[in-house]
Amino acid sequence: MDMLNIDISDFLQKHRLPDSYQTLAEQWYLPVLEEISMHHKSAKRTITVGINGAQGSGKSTLAQLAVYILREHYSLNVVSLSLDDFYFTRQERIQLGQGIHPLLTTRGVPGTHDIALARKTISQLINQQFPVNIPRFNKAEDDRAPAESEEIITQAVDVVIFEGWCLGAEAQDDRLLKAPINDLEEFEDDSQVWRRYVNEQLARFYPKLFELIDIWIMLKAPSFDCVYQWRLEQENKLKSSLSEQQTSTQIMDEKAVGRFIKYYQRITENTLNTLPNKVNYLFELDENRQITQLTQPLPTKLSSNAPHQWLVFTDMDGTLLDHHNYHFDEAIPTLAALEQNQIPVIPVTSKTAAEVELIRDSLGNHHPFIVENGAAVYIPEGYFDQQPEDTEKRGKYWVKSFVQPRQHWQSLIDQVRPAYQHEFKTFADAGIDGIIAMTGLNVHAAACAARREFGEPVSWHGNGNLKHQFITELTALGANILEGGRFIHVSGQCDKGQALAWLTAVYQQTQPQQIIQTLGIGDSQNDKAMLEQADYALLIRSPVHGLPDIDRTDNLTVSTFFGPKGWAEGVTQIIDAKQHSDSFNLPRGNHG
């Protein structure tokens, strides 16, 4: 790259940087920023640049330089964001600490960020959905800044600069979490609850945020050993910029910094090993933060010609199946078109595997399916070339289970039963005849519904206030409670979103040449995790209850009609709008 001669003296003065930064910028950063301006010009759309770097590596300063150069010298409208701006509030983190593990009170690791807010903010900027409110986090107060201090964007943005210490980080194999990496993990997380929660959050929610990034830059530290000194310098710089009253509150001393960086050590070290060959621009740093080398492991491609593979994950009752009669006639033309275009429709339901098998036969569906509110994924044997890891052979399926078997959850219900003896009835209590009475199913379907494997449905017919207490007691015993349209489902820590993420990853591993896009479809609160996790969400209106409370606002569609009619309407609207191939058209005129 050629060296560019651009005077940045006013930038150096504003940010109190040494004159040597001018030489650093000219030699290493300015040519890259020129290339980014050219990428924007060719892309003809808003592009997002992600900057990864360990604590104190200089990523925030590089982000500020990028904004300055792209604005002043290339006349681009630039917005700078930090992953730090999306930390949960202090009160929210206190609640995480009380409910899951005390270490989650401290900001920093995956699981302490509001990823839904981050995705919403960046998506709004990319799609020019103005006005866009930019949240800011006050590190001195260890809390999100008040709403009145938010920046409000009202004009089209050319480039979004997004920096963060764990951008692009990957979750680790669970087996690697067992051995503690430092004394913080050894003595304050001896049960591994904290690091497993952090790892799960990183696996489930952060990839959807990282997908919004077009160009990746990494400032690679030589090792984690440098981070303490770098982070201490960063804290001292923050201290010098604040008043004496402010510094007496949340500014850390040397001992506090030493403890603080231990929260980051596991993910930082893993990222130093896994990310360098996956970025577009890799700046390698020495112990003094001087750049020793720039490489470009991956070429920058803003528009991919890779084919897109849709996966349609759909709830059944009240969504694809009519709430009153379980018919799906109005969705048949759309289902046929999806199958013709090799778009899998994957049932995701509270039903048992035996029930879903019956429905799949009537649908002519041969794809994987998710049962009992995400408790397990069933994949027909041979569906993929190889059996996925962590699955077991059960009959004609490869099965991935996320929770303990049904008997465990029945034993928990029996523990609390004496206080609620006449308030509820489980499927096990009801038997086949009782299930028929509760559901309206025929005897064969009711027998299939009785074959629970991973949880127990409860029909509550007593006092509503006692129901809340019943749920609270079961939760305290370790159960996860989901309330569907008709039943309370008692099982483990699983949900439809977790199962969707796992199965999507399997599809992606078997089809690495394709870009997987997911559509989640549901109508009730137990669909929320799936609707939040999918790339696109479709809410189906119900004739008997309101819409579920969904946090996301991006890529969200609400049907006009109920049940299968709304299902067909919404699927057509979403996939037709996003599919670029002229050969793909879902049927129209069948939806009223």
Side-chain angles (χ1 to χ4, degrees), residues 314-322 325-329 331-332 335 345-372 396-397 441-442 444-446 448-449 452 567:
T314 181
D315 174 56
M316 305 304 286
D317 290 9
T319 301
L320 179 55
L321 306 179
D322 184 273
N325 58 28
Y326 281 19
H327 291 173
F328 57 91
D329 296 3
I332 288 175
L335 288 165
V345 174
I346 299 163
V348 186
T349 176
S350 60
K351 295 181 181 298
T352 66
E355 289 177 283
V356 178
E357 284 188 300
L358 287 178
I359 296 169
R360 287 171 76 245
D361 288 344
S362 63
L363 292 171
N365 183 298
H366 61 278
H367 301 291
F369 53 95
I370 296 168
V371 301
E372 301 190 36
K396 57 184 179 180
Y397 297 102
L441 297 172
N442 61 42
H444 184 47
C448 291
R452 314 296 297 184
W567 190 96

Side-chain angles (χ1 to χ4, degrees), residues 475-581:
T475 302
L477 291 173
N480 185 44
I481 311 298
L482 284 174
E483 293 191 67
R486 306 181 186 196
F487 302 103
I488 302 168
H489 298 272
V490 181
S491 188
Q493 292 298 325
C494 64
D495 56 52
K496 295 180 177 182
Q498 178 185 18
L500 178 152
W502 182 87
L503 184 54
T504 300
V506 174
Y507 272 99
Q508 188 67 77
Q509 290 164 8
T510 61
Q511 304 174 41
Q513 76 284 2
Q514 295 190 315
I515 298 172
I516 302 294
Q517 291 188 134
T518 56
L519 169 59
I521 312 175
D523 75 316
S524 63
Q525 202 62 32
N526 69 346
D527 299 317
K528 178 176 179 177
M530 173 178 65
L531 293 165
E532 300 284 10
Q533 178 68 33
D535 295 320
Y536 296 86
L538 171 60
L539 284 173
I540 303 298
R541 294 189 184 276
S542 169
V544 295
H545 59 74
L547 294 171
D549 180 21
I550 301 300
D551 295 329
R552 74 184 295 167
T553 57
D554 62 303
N555 298 333
L556 176 65
T557 301
V558 180
S559 73
T560 306
F561 304 104
F562 300 141
K565 187 174 184 178
W567 190 96
E569 167 208 20
V571 170
T572 299
Q573 178 181 339
I574 293 168
I575 295 186
D576 266 2
K578 302 300 175 185
Q579 190 80 19
H580 299 300
S581 170

Side-chain angles (χ1 to χ4, degrees), residues 131-296:
V132 183
N133 287 48
I134 307 297
R136 299 300 183 194
F137 192 87
N138 186 331
K139 290 184 178 180
E141 299 295 332
D142 192 29
D143 208 348
R144 191 175 297 165
E148 55 266 25
S149 67
E150 292 181 348
E151 181 182 1
I152 300 176
I153 307 299
T154 58
Q155 295 181 331
V157 173
D158 298 310
V159 181
V160 178
I161 304 294
F162 186 33
E163 58 91 359
W165 76 274
C166 65
L167 289 190
E170 297 180 5
Q172 292 183 287
D173 186 296
D174 283 348
R175 290 169 293 189
L176 298 176
L177 302 177
K178 293 180 180 179
I181 202 169
N182 54 38
D183 57 1
L184 180 81
E185 291 189 354
E186 182 177 3
F187 299 113
E188 298 185 51
D189 185 39
D190 56 339
S191 62
Q192 305 169 39
V193 170
W194 174 69
R195 54 188 182 267
R196 289 188 181 279
Y197 178 82
V198 170
N199 198 59
E200 179 188 358
Q201 297 299 300
L202 183 57
R204 291 182 61 186
F205 301 111
Y206 286 66
K208 293 298 179 186
L209 175 64
F210 301 159
E211 285 175 5
L212 299 176
I213 295 174
D214 296 302
I215 298 174
W216 285 88
I217 298 173
M218 182 180 189
L219 301 179
K220 182 178 180 293
S223 71
F224 186 76
D225 294 339
C226 306
V227 174
Y228 168 74
Q229 193 59 42
W230 291 358
R231 186 63 182 82
L232 189 60
E233 290 175 16
Q234 193 178 47
E235 200 72 14
N236 289 334
K237 185 175 180 181
L238 176 63
K239 181 178 180 179
S240 66
S241 68
L242 299 173
S243 66
E244 185 174 338
Q245 183 178 3
Q246 287 175 308
T247 57
S248 65
T249 56
Q250 297 295 333
I251 298 301
M252 293 184 284
D253 59 19
E254 294 184 16
K255 183 178 179 181
V257 169
R259 171 181 165 79
F260 186 60
I261 64 168
K262 291 174 184 177
Y263 287 79
Y264 296 76
Q265 183 173 352
R266 175 178 291 276
I267 292 174
T268 299
E269 290 186 342
N270 189 49
T271 302
L272 290 175
N273 290 327
T274 58
L275 188 59
N277 64 346
K278 299 177 182 178
V279 299
N280 307 112
Y281 300 97
L282 176 65
F283 292 100
E284 298 193 44
L285 310 180
D286 64 16
E287 294 181 357
N288 297 315
R289 282 180 293 195
Q290 295 301 304
I291 298 171
T292 61
Q293 182 173 270
L294 167 62
T295 56
Q296 295 178 256

